[in-house]
Amino acid sequence: MSIVTPKSLTQAEDEGRPRTFELPQLLQARTGKMTRELLLNPGDHGLGMTPESLQAETTTVAACGYCATGCGLRLHVRDGQAVGLTPETEYPVNLGMACPKGWEALEVLAADDRATYPLLRDADGEMKRVDWDTALTTFTERFKSIQSQHGNDSVAFLSTGQIPCEEMAFLGALAKFGMGMLHGDGNTRQCMATAVTAYKESFGFDSPPYTYDDFQQSDCMVFVGANPCIGHPIMWERVLRNPNSPEIIVLDPRRTETAMAATQHLQLRPKHDLAILYAITQHLIASDLIDHEYVAAHTTGFETLAEHVASFTPDVVGPAAGITADAIRRAAESIGQADAASLWWTMGVNQSYQGTRTAQAMINIALITGNIGRPGTGANSITGQCNAMGSRLWSNTTNLFGHHKFESAEDRERVARILDIDVDRIPDQGSWSYDRIVEGIRRDEIKGLWVIATNPAHSWIHQGDFKELLDKLDFLVVQDMYASTETAQHADLLLPAAGWGEKEGTFINSERRYGLLKKVRKAPGEALADFQIFRGIAAYWGVESMFADWTHPEAVFEKMQAASEGRPCDISGIQGYRQIDQSGGIQWPWTRQDAASNDVPPQQRRLFADGTFYHSDGNARLIVDAVAAMPEPPDSEYPILLMSGRGTVSQWHTQTRTSKSKVLRKLYPQRPYVEIHPTDASLIGVRNGDTVSVRSRRGEIFVTAMVTPTVQRNQAFIPMHYDVTNQLTLSHFDPHSRQPSYKDCAVAITKV
Ligand SMILES: Nc1nc2c(c(=O)[nH]1)N[C@H]1C(S)=C(S)[C@@H](COP(=O)(O)OP(=O)(O)OC[C@H]3O[C@@H](n4cnc5c(=O)[nH]c(N)nc54)[C@H](O)[C@@H]3O)O[C@H]1N2
Ligand SMILES: Nc1nc2c(c(=O)[nH]1)N[C@H]1C(S)=C(S)[C@@H](COP(=O)(O)OP(=O)(O)OC[C@H]3O[C@@H](n4cnc5c(=O)[nH]c(N)nc54)[C@H](O)[C@@H]3O)O[C@H]1N2
Ligand code: SF4
Ligand SMILES: [Mo]
C-alpha cells in the first residue's frame, strides 16, 4: 500500500534520494484516510483532534482569525457544525469582549464566492473546473518545467500572516527543502518587517516584550502611528480598564478616534516621528530623567545616543514637525516622571521609509528610562494579522525554521536533524525580500509564483505596476478561500482553501501567546485545509517521504517545539494542544524547565525582567541614525500628502472576508472615500459627498470626498480596504526592513 505515487516520486528515488518512510501508518491511524482519498473526497479535512472532542462538547474556544489581538471566541456547536459564537469570558486576552469582525467570523465562511473546487485557466483564457488530481499534476508539471528551464530559484512563493504556524512551517519546508526554492516571502513584510528588524538589532531577537496586562498597569502610554480604537479595539478596551488614569500620548498626523481619547495628541507632520522621538530623548537627558543605573547595567551606546540627539532640541524640532516645543517637553516629562511608562507602535511607524530607526528611537526611550521588564512598561510593537507572529518564527522565509539562520552551518545542521532531512536541502542563504521578488519578475528571473492566503493585487504598493508583473509570469498559482480575489483573477491555477473555523493549528498573538484554531465547520465543496494541500503537493512533487510524519498539525507542532528548545522562543514545555486549550493560550517562552516547576503556565508573562537581552553580552543596543528625507514630498503639481490605513473596525484588509457579512457591510461606507480638510475642500469647491479625482504620478482614482477636520491641511487619507488605494502609492521601502512605506506619497485632488 502506498500514498499517491506520482512519476516524480519514482524519479526522486532513482536519483538516490533516501526514502525514509514506506507506509503511511501514522496518517492512516490519525485520519483513517490516505492522501489519494483525501484528494478525491475533499472538503472535510481540517484534521486534528476536534471532530472527536466536539462530539462530547457543545462548545469550544478558538482564537479569532482576524487581528493579532487574538481574542478567544466560544463556538457553539451542534452536530459537528458551529452554529454561533460568543466572546469567551475566561480567555485572558479579551475577557468576554469581541469586535464586530469576531462576532461575524462564522458568517463569512458561507459566502457565494467561496472557492469550492480547483480552477485551471484553459487555452481560451477561461478558468475551468478541474479535479484535484489535474490541479496538483499541473502544479507540479508547470513549476518543474519552469525550474528545469530557468533554475530552481525561478519559482517563488508569497505567503501570509493568516494561516496557522503549522501550515506556514509546512509550506516553508515544502517549498524550500522539498521543491528547492530559494525565494519566498509573505505579507508579513507589508506589516511587521520593521518591528522584526528593530527588535533583532536592539534586543538581539525578534521579541515583543509585553503582555496585555501592561495596558492596565501603565501610568503613561505612548501610541505612535497606532489607531487601536479601529485596528485593535479589544486592546483599546484593555486600556480603558486601566485604573491609574493614565497619561495617553498619541503621535498621529490625524485626529483619530484614539487621538481624541488621548490626554496629549501630538498632531505631527507625517514622518516627523523620528525627529520628535529624538527631541523627547534629548529633553529626557537634559532634564536628567534617565535611569542611569539601568543604562549602565543593561545597554550599550548611551554616549553615542546622547551625542546624536543633542541637536534635536524641542525648540528646533517642534516647529519643523508642526507641533510646539512645549508639547514635546510635556510628553518627555510625562514619560520620564511616570512609574511605569509604555510605548506602543503600529503601522504609522512600521510602514515608513525610516521605520526601523523610528521604532528603535522608541526602544531607546524605554531603555534609558528603565521602562522595560516591569509591569506597565515596554517598547511594544502591536502586531497586525492573527498570525504574523507565527510567520516571523515558522515560515522559513527570511529566517530558517524557528528563527534560525540560513547562513549558519550549525543552524542548518540542527534544523536538518530535527526535521530528519538531508542538510544539503537547506539553502545557505535567506530569501529575497518581497520587493526583490517583485523586481525578479520584472527582470525575468522569477517565472513562476505561488501565492497563499494573501491578495497582493490589491494590497501591494504601486498596484498598476504589480498587476502587469503578475501577467508577465509563466505560471501563477493562487491558493485562497475565495475565487473572486483581485489576485485570483490573474491566476492560472486556483487552489480552493479551507479557512478559519474549518481547520486546526496554532496562531501566536501580539503578546507571544499561542492560541488554538478549531475545526467547527466543514469546508465547502472540495476545498481543503492548506495543510492538506501541502501534503498533496508533497506527494505529487515526489517528496512525500520527506514529510511522511507531517500527518496532522499537532505532529508539526511537536517539530516546532523541538526546534524552539534552548532558543528565546522556547516552547518545549507545552503539553500539546490540549494544554494550550486548557490554559487560555500559552505565551512563549515556556520551557521544559518552566514546566517542571509549574503545572500551569502563569497567564501574564513579560520578557526582560532581569534586564538580560539576547545579544551575546546581554545588553540591549541603543541605535540612532540620521533623519531621512521624504522621497516624494508634496509640490505645486501634487500638493497633498496622501496617507492610507484602516478605515473602520468592520473592514478587514482587502475585504475578501468582511464584505461577505450583511451586518459588517452596514457598518462601513461601500464607496471608496478620501478624508480631506474643510479648507482644502473649499479651495477646490468640493463639498462632503462630492466625487473627487485623486491623482498621483502613478494613477488616478475617483472617490467620495469625506470633508473632515480630523486630517490636517494639505494632507489626505484613504482606507486601504478599497482596491483603488494602491493605484496611487509610491513604491519605496525602509532600507533595513524592506517594508513598504504605504503612508506617504504626493497627490492632487480635484473636483469632477
Ligand atoms: N478593523 C481592522 N483592524 C485591523 C486591520 C484591518 O484591516 N481592519 N488590520 C490589522 C493589521 S494587519 C494591522 S498591520 C493593524 C494596523 O493597525 P494601525 O497601524 O493602527 O492602523 P493604520 O490605520 O494602518 O495606521 C495607524 C495610523 O498611522 C497614522 N500615520 C500615518 N502616517 C503617519 C506618520 O508619519 N506618523 C505617525 N505617527 N502616524 C502616521 C495613520 O493616520 C493611522 O491613524 O491593524 C490590524 N487590525
Ligand atoms: N495602501 C496600503 N496598503 C496596505 C496597507 C496600508 O496600510 N496601506 N497595509 C498593509 C498591511 S499591514 C497588510 S497586513 C496587508 C494585507 O494584505 P493582504 O494579505 O493582501 O490582505 P487580506 O485581505 O488579509 O488577504 C488575505 C487573503 O487570504 C485569504 N485567506 C484567508 N484565510 C485563508 C486561509 O486560511 N487559507 C488561504 N489559502 N487563504 C486564506 C483571504 O481570502 C484573502 O484573499 O496589506 C498591506 N497593504
Ligand atoms: S479585536 Fe481582533 S481578535 Fe478580537 S474579535 Fe476583533 S478582530 Fe478578532
Ligand atoms: Mo498588517
Side-chain angles (χ1 to χ4, degrees):
M1 201 170 12
S2 72
I3 321 184
V4 183
T5 312
K7 289 191 295 293
S8 45
L9 177 62
T10 332
Q11 278 160 9
E13 282 169 340
D14 289 345
E15 283 159 29
R17 286 190 201 135
R19 184 149 183 241
T20 52
F21 195 78
E22 285 299 323
L23 197 67
Q25 302 282 14
L26 213 62
L27 172 72
Q28 235 190 341
R30 296 279 184 172
T31 68
K33 293 202 168 67
M34 309 212 309
T35 308
R36 179 182 289 281
E37 270 183 68
L38 285 176
L39 298 177
L40 294 179
N41 306 298
D44 193 22
H45 302 294
L47 281 188
M49 66 179 186
T50 342
E52 303 96 78
S53 54
L54 281 186
Q55 284 162 13
E57 286 179 32
T58 51
T59 68
T60 183
V61 176
C64 176
Y66 287 105
C67 86
T69 306
C71 295
L73 303 175
R74 182 166 287 276
L75 296 149
H76 302 251
V77 182
R78 195 179 303 144
D79 304 327
Q81 290 272 100
V83 290
L85 64 80
T86 45
E88 173 57 15
T89 48
E90 302 295 315
Y91 205 70
V93 166
N94 50 316
L95 316 171
M97 299 175 280
C99 83
K101 294 185 295 303
W103 277 105
E104 285 292 291
L106 289 167
E107 186 62 29
V108 303
L109 298 175
D112 293 341
D113 61 341
R114 281 298 298 270
T116 48
Y117 36 77
L119 293 171
L120 181 64
R121 200 171 291 282
D122 68 10
D124 301 328
E126 295 286 312
M127 288 301 262
K128 290 274 164 57
R129 177 177 183 166
V130 291
D131 60 19
W132 273 104
D133 182 50
T134 309
L136 296 189
T137 303
T138 311
F139 179 101
T140 305
E141 286 177 359
R142 293 298 301 270
F143 278 156
K144 283 199 176 196
S145 136
I146 292 173
Q147 283 185 324
S148 68
Q149 278 179 57
H150 306 282
N152 278 358
D153 307 346
S154 61
V155 175
F157 70 88
L158 291 174
S159 81
T160 185
Q162 296 177 56
I163 58 177
C165 298
E166 294 77 359
E167 296 186 341
M168 289 171 178
F170 205 150
L171 170 61
L174 172 62
K176 294 210 163 174
F177 315 149
M179 300 165 67
M181 289 186 208
L182 180 58
H183 304 304
D185 203 2
N187 66 8
T188 316
R189 182 76 61 177
Q190 294 161 285
C191 184
M192 303 313 300
T194 293
V196 174
T197 311
Y199 278 138
K200 269 208 241 180
E201 291 180 0
S202 295
F203 293 163
F205 196 81
D206 174 19
S207 45
Y210 61 101
T211 189
Y212 292 161
D213 220 26
D214 291 322
F215 285 122
Q216 287 171 233
Q217 300 209 34
S218 268
D219 44 29
C220 174
M221 276 177 262
V222 186
F223 290 91
V224 183
N227 188 10
C229 285
I230 297 297
H232 298 90
I234 302 305
M235 292 191 199
W236 186 251
E237 290 292 331
R238 300 291 296 264
V239 173
L240 296 179
R241 292 185 180 206
N242 183 313
N244 308 329
S245 311
E247 201 66 42
I248 297 178
I249 305 170
V250 170
L251 272 74
D252 198 307
R254 296 188 303 140
R255 192 159 172 76
T256 59
E257 298 76 356
T258 310
M260 288 176 200
T263 54
Q264 302 175 37
H265 177 201
L266 276 51
Q267 195 168 11
L268 71 167
R269 295 207 173 99
K271 299 295 164 278
H272 284 69
D273 309 73
L274 186 57
I276 293 175
L277 292 163
Y278 285 160
I280 289 175
T281 309
Q282 191 276 341
H283 189 66
L284 285 167
I285 296 173
S287 319
D288 199 22
L289 291 168
I290 302 299
D291 186 339
H292 294 287
E293 234 171 85
Y294 194 91
V295 168
H298 303 298
T299 70
T300 302
F302 184 73
E303 296 304 315
T304 315
L305 168 72
E307 230 169 80
H308 184 84
V309 301
S311 60
F312 288 84
T313 60
D315 289 315
V316 171
V317 171
I323 57 176
T324 65
D326 278 345
I328 296 178
R329 283 190 280 263
R330 186 174 158 217
E333 286 160 24
S334 301
I335 298 167
Q337 288 160 4
D339 289 331
S342 53
L343 298 104
W344 308 82
W345 80 87
T346 319
M347 290 310 120
V349 171
N350 281 358
Q351 294 171 344
S352 153
Y353 54 84
Q354 55 185 356
T356 302
R357 294 298 180 247
T358 306
Q360 287 168 334
M362 297 178 67
I363 294 173
N364 294 344
I365 291 173
L367 288 167
I368 64 172
T369 56
N371 275 303
I372 196 138
R374 291 183 292 112
T377 66
N380 304 331
S381 142
I382 300 176
T383 312
Q385 308 166 76
C386 50
N387 201 26
M389 289 282 285
S391 77
R392 288 148 78 165
L393 288 178
W394 301 114
S395 66
N396 243 347
T397 50
T398 7
N399 304 301
L400 176 58
F401 192 65
H403 225 286
H404 290 83
K405 288 193 179 70
F406 282 106
E407 294 81 1
S408 152
E410 197 186 320
D411 282 9
R412 291 196 303 274
E413 288 287 349
R414 181 166 190 263
V415 170
R417 205 170 43 246
I418 289 165
L419 299 184
D420 191 19
I421 56 163
D422 181 354
V423 69
D424 295 336
R425 285 193 170 265
I426 303 184
D428 60 6
Q429 47 184 301
S431 163
W432 281 343
S433 54
Y434 201 134
D435 63 300
R436 185 65 186 79
I437 292 175
V438 173
E439 279 312 300
I441 305 175
R442 192 189 315 283
R443 295 189 205 171
D444 279 333
E445 293 161 334
I446 299 287
K447 301 287 220 174
L449 189 68
W450 179 17
V451 175
I452 305 100
T454 184
N455 186 12
H458 174 140
S459 64
W460 188 246
I461 202 158
H462 189 186
Q463 187 191 97
D465 177 56
F466 183 74
K467 284 184 172 170
E468 279 176 27
L469 291 176
L470 281 182
D471 292 333
K472 192 167 175 306
L473 289 162
D474 287 353
F475 196 56
L476 171 64
V477 179
V478 172
Q479 184 168 321
D480 205 285
M481 290 170 66
Y482 301 96
S484 59
T485 74
E486 287 90 350
T487 313
Q489 288 165 28
H490 295 258
D492 299 300
L493 174 67
L494 179 95
L495 302 177
W500 175 91
E502 298 166 345
K503 59 180 178 183
E504 302 208 313
T506 56
F507 286 156
I508 313 176
N509 81 352
S510 269
E511 45 161 9
R512 311 178 315 284
R513 183 183 303 276
Y514 280 82
L516 280 182
L517 272 81
K518 300 282 175 68
K519 178 175 187 291
V520 290
R521 283 274 183 105
K522 184 179 175 305
E526 297 184 1
L528 285 172
D530 295 282
F531 195 91
Q532 293 302 356
I533 299 176
F534 301 143
R535 279 184 66 79
I537 291 171
Y540 278 70
W541 198 271
V543 292
E544 181 178 26
S545 59
M546 199 185 269
F547 299 98
D549 58 354
W550 297 53
T551 48
H552 60 297
E554 199 167 7
V556 176
F557 185 74
E558 285 162 18
K559 294 176 193 299
M560 290 159 47
Q561 288 187 284
S564 75
E565 191 152 10
R567 306 186 58 74
C569 55
D570 194 330
I571 47 166
S572 59
I574 296 179
Q575 309 290 309
Y577 281 2
R578 200 159 292 277
Q579 193 189 20
I580 299 178
D581 206 21
Q582 287 163 351
S583 310
I586 300 176
Q587 291 169 294
W588 69 253
W590 189 246
T591 66
R592 269 181 215 289
Q593 294 74 22
D594 292 331
S597 45
N598 299 270
D599 285 344
V600 182
Q603 277 304 356
Q604 300 287 336
R605 290 181 294 123
R606 60 186 65 75
L607 303 177
F608 310 131
D610 61 359
T612 308
F613 295 86
Y614 300 118
H615 285 296
S616 52
D617 61 4
N619 279 357
R621 304 285 184 269
L622 299 165
I623 299 169
V624 289
D625 211 337
V627 171
M630 188 180 288
E632 190 183 71
D635 57 17
S636 54
E637 208 184 331
Y638 296 96
I640 307 265
L641 187 88
L642 178 70
M643 297 174 285
S644 60
R646 276 73 201 156
T648 67
V649 164
S650 302
Q651 287 163 293
W652 180 257
H653 292 165
T654 74
Q655 288 273 60
T656 63
R657 289 195 271 171
T658 37
S659 69
K660 312 297 157 55
S661 147
K662 254 202 319 268
V663 173
L664 296 181
R665 275 201 305 275
K666 288 206 178 103
L667 298 174
Y668 61 81
Q670 299 302 309
R671 267 201 90 203
Y673 62 93
V674 57
E675 296 178 4
I676 51 170
H677 189 273
T679 309
D680 290 339
S682 73
L683 284 175
I684 54 170
V686 160
R687 283 200 288 191
N688 195 43
D690 288 353
T691 296
V692 290
S693 142
V694 185
R695 195 162 40 83
S696 79
R697 290 184 176 84
R698 292 149 298 278
E700 179 177 23
I701 64 175
F702 298 93
V703 299
T704 305
M706 181 184 281
V707 179
T708 166
T710 56
V711 288
Q712 304 186 68
R713 283 220 47 204
N714 303 315
Q715 294 172 24
F717 178 87
I718 307 185
M720 65 158 299
H721 314 295
Y722 307 100
D723 65 348
V724 292
T725 309
N726 278 316
Q727 292 181 24
L728 303 174
T729 45
L730 169 73
S731 190
H732 64 307
F733 304 88
D734 177 277
H736 309 283
S737 69
R738 304 307 298 169
Q739 179 157 345
S741 192
Y742 281 112
K743 294 183 175 0
D744 57 295
C745 74
V747 297
I749 303 182
T750 48
K751 190 175 174 173
V752 292

